[in-house]
Amino acid sequence: MLLMNDFCISDKPRPVLSVSPQKWLTEGDPVTLICEVKGSSTGWTFSWFTVTASSDNSNRYELLSDSSRGAGGNYTVSSAAPNHTGVYVCSAERGKLTYNTWNSNKQPLWVTGVSPPVSLIISPSRTQHFTSVSLSLSCEDQSNSDRWTVRRYTDTWGLEDCLLSRWGSQTGSKCTINSTAPSDTGVYWCQSESGEISQPVNITVHLGVIVESPVHPVTEGDSLTLRCLYEHSTPPILRADFYKDASLIQSQTTEMIISTVSKSHERFYYCKHPERGESLKSWISVTASHSESQISVLHTLSSVLTVCPYLLVTVVLIFKCCRMRGITAE
């Protein structure tokens, strides 16, 4: 474990760390971390670190074992895996006397796995939440094990474990936030000591209006229901307008229902009330159904089998033609 220290040099630059193509990834996607020293692009040797939470919940920096792979300023992962989920920083040095930069900004990466070993269960079951309410986050696997810790990353507090935190209390694999605040907005996930993780979930805490949307990806073919809620009314459901990205898709209704979800519905959604205001945007993820994947495979196999006899006949005719030409030439 390595703790990075900054040296007191007045003109020392701070690298800028960015990610391409995006910080939210699906397992198997390629991703590149880009470390740049503005105004001075040559002669630098780069180091790459992940941010970890220490026993007092302060942030420490651990050098990546293959840090030298990003020596040119680009650290590339050709196929992202769930264990690449985390928070990264970079630094650079150059010259005979080893001139160091400051640590870069923190850059999180979130990787959604195909079949994670554990699920993060949120109650109430939605991604947006009101302030000053209780929020429960539980890690559930098939063996009902207690080996999972709820972890989060927020812009306000950085990387934290519920087990060691001042913001929540963990019993077994369940973390409870007694009174939510906007500073609790961030990405939450379950993690074991060996590095196994759940799907990361982006949770927002917002004053006033929120949109009720599912925590986990919706499967193609299933239905999707969105509602607009207001914390200071009973019942909390509002008659509001619903938007997909920036386009109005349904007006003055208590809920928006998509009866059959497809990949085209994977977008940002939010709701807006003329007097109460509007919610934050929630991203709806859509995954392919297992049956559709099987149908796709069967369709491909059927197509190949259909074409094969024609290919075989063509090859035989060509062979016979070449043979006849050979006999005629003799």
Side-chain angles (χ1 to χ4, degrees):
M1 195 72 73
L2 195 71
L3 181 63
M4 294 170 62
N5 295 312
D6 293 326
F7 299 94
C8 297
I9 301 175
S10 59
D11 61 343
K12 186 163 56 171
R14 182 182 298 277
V16 175
L17 181 60
S18 58
V19 61
S20 178
Q22 59 187 2
K23 64 182 179 181
W24 282 93
L25 305 163
T26 300
E27 185 175 359
D29 287 348
V31 64
T32 299
L33 293 168
I34 304 164
C35 192
E36 297 178 284
V37 181
K38 299 296 184 180
S40 180
S41 59
T42 60
W44 295 100
T45 299
F46 295 89
S47 297
W48 303 85
F49 301 81
T50 54
V51 182
T52 61
S54 62
S55 58
D56 60 353
N57 244 340
S58 61
N59 287 344
R60 297 176 66 88
Y61 302 82
E62 185 173 359
L63 181 69
L64 293 176
S65 59
D66 58 350
S67 182
S68 60
R69 190 157 61 88
N74 287 356
Y75 183 89
T76 300
V77 176
S78 58
S79 180
N83 61 5
H84 289 117
T85 286
V87 183
Y88 295 80
V89 297
C90 68
S91 67
E93 60 181 34
R94 71 176 179 182
K96 294 181 180 179
L97 297 179
T98 312
Y99 175 51
N100 294 274
T101 66
W102 298 103
N103 307 331
S104 72
N105 55 297
K106 295 173 183 174
Q107 178 62 61
L109 282 183
W110 316 116
V111 183
T112 300
V114 175
S115 54
V118 64
S119 294
L120 177 62
I121 307 300
I122 299 172
S123 180
S125 183
R126 53 179 182 249
T127 57
Q128 294 188 15
H129 298 270
F130 298 126
T131 58
S132 304
V133 298
S134 177
L135 180 62
S136 171
L137 307 105
S138 302
C139 302
E140 294 186 5
D141 61 10
Q142 293 183 347
S143 61
N144 295 319
S145 170
D146 287 341
R147 63 193 179 98
W148 303 97
T149 297
V150 176
R151 179 168 287 184
R152 78 174 187 179
Y153 179 78
T154 65
D155 291 337
T156 303
W157 303 109
L159 183 67
E160 296 178 303
D161 286 346
C162 181
L163 192 62
L164 308 169
S165 74
R166 57 185 173 274
W167 52 270
S169 58
Q170 181 159 333
T171 303
S173 289
K174 179 181 179 180
C175 176
T176 302
I177 302 175
N178 291 321
S179 183
T180 54
S183 60
D184 292 314
T185 294
V187 179
Y188 291 72
W189 69 97
C190 301
Q191 187 163 344
S192 68
E193 290 184 0
S194 61
E196 295 176 297
I197 69 164
S198 69
Q199 310 280 33
V201 177
N202 189 31
I203 293 176
T204 58
V205 178
H206 185 50
L207 288 165
V209 177
I210 66 172
V211 63
E212 186 178 62
S213 60
V215 172
H216 299 293
V218 183
T219 303
E220 282 187 296
D222 288 352
S223 65
L224 168 65
T225 300
L226 302 177
R227 295 183 181 89
C228 200
L229 308 180
Y230 181 62
E231 62 181 322
H232 300 303
S233 64
T234 304
I237 300 175
L238 292 175
R239 181 173 292 276
D241 299 333
F242 287 86
Y243 292 79
K244 176 183 177 183
D245 291 334
S247 301
L248 176 66
I249 54 175
Q250 199 164 320
S251 60
Q252 289 302 298
T253 181
T254 55
E255 61 183 24
M256 189 193 78
I257 301 175
I258 300 173
S259 58
T260 305
V261 172
S262 67
K263 195 66 176 177
S264 65
H265 291 114
E266 190 172 69
R267 289 291 186 273
F268 281 104
Y269 292 82
Y270 66 99
C271 66
K272 186 176 182 179
H273 187 272
E275 297 174 359
R276 308 300 186 187
E278 67 182 62
S279 71
L280 299 176
K281 295 179 180 180
S282 277
W283 176 260
I284 302 297
S285 295
V286 179
T287 58
S289 66
H290 181 66
S291 59
E292 286 186 359
S293 298
Q294 286 182 326
I295 290 171
S296 178
V297 171
L298 290 173
H299 178 73
T300 303
L301 183 59
S302 175
S303 299
V304 171
L305 292 175
T306 302
V307 172
C308 277
Y310 296 100
L311 291 176
L312 182 60
V313 170
T314 303
V315 170
V316 170
L317 289 173
I318 292 172
F319 176 76
K320 286 186 174 182
C321 182
C322 291
R323 188 176 179 184
M324 291 297 294
R325 285 181 180 180
I327 293 172
T328 303
E330 290 176 359

